[in-house]
Amino acid sequence: MIVLFFGPQGSGKGTQAKIIAEKIGVPHISSGDLLRGVGGPLKLEIESYTNHGKLVPDKLILKILKERIAREDCKGGYILEGFPRNLKQARALNKFVKVDRVIEIAISDEEAIGRISSRVSCSRCGSVYNLVTSPPKKKGICDKDGEKLFVRDDDKEKAIRNRLDTYHKETEAILKLYPYTRINGEQGIVMVTKDILKALGQKYNV
Ligand code: AMP
């Protein structure tokens, strides 16, 4: 089964994609992770986009994705997350993949902003904490190395709103191409998992 996962930043889409992939026994492919895993000379080229919050060129991500899904472990399907990001990528994907199911994990913009803007990061080791759901033991200090925690520029409200606008515009266009199931992402993690499994016609096993 080939499943696409959509959801705005803060929706828990990455967490759910990982849980569901494990439960149904297929690989979880995240385009962001794929790009971060590239080494060698291509790494610098990729970082010239990702480090500035820009999308890498379609041709490049498509090449990397095609190589990944050609691997043996994808024969029985996979969960794809982070791709397609725009209509052009969706059309390209449709030429070589038959998508079985599409899931959108929906949360309101206000909820997304609340969740993301409570994120703080360590300037030294990059650990991420959420002040509401997983705060550091000592306020403002990283548990791992004692460094000060800070709010990343792209976790500030204006930047989040910009990303959400782009998400709504581009994802809504993509979702017109497929029948999809919208899941309420404002519930607890287990409820979201249950709803997704139901939408995929799978049973929930603890
Ligand atoms: P993510 O981990 O999904 O936030 O992705 C991290 C970065 O990788 C993004 O900011 C983009 O620069 C790049 N990226 C991820 N997926 C795609 C994609 N489908 N197309 C182009 N760039 C992507």
Side-chain angles (χ1 to χ4, degrees), residues 29-64:
I29 300 174
S30 140
S31 55
D33 287 350
L34 273 186
L35 290 166
R36 281 184 286 274
V38 173
L42 252 190
K43 188 174 178 66
L44 279 182
E45 189 189 338
I46 289 172
E47 284 179 352
S48 71
Y49 299 98
T50 54
N51 286 352
H52 299 97
K54 289 191 193 142
L55 290 184
V56 307
D58 293 340
K59 226 171 133 187
L60 183 54
I61 179 72
L62 268 164
K63 181 175 175 289
I64 295 169

Side-chain angles (χ1 to χ4, degrees), residues 107-131:
I107 58 172
S108 68
D109 285 2
E110 295 321 308
E111 177 75 17
I113 290 163
R115 289 184 185 183
I116 303 169
S117 55
S118 26
R119 268 199 321 219
V120 286
S121 310
C122 174
S123 50
R124 192 185 297 157
C125 73
S127 294
V128 180
Y129 301 84
N130 185 298
L131 297 177

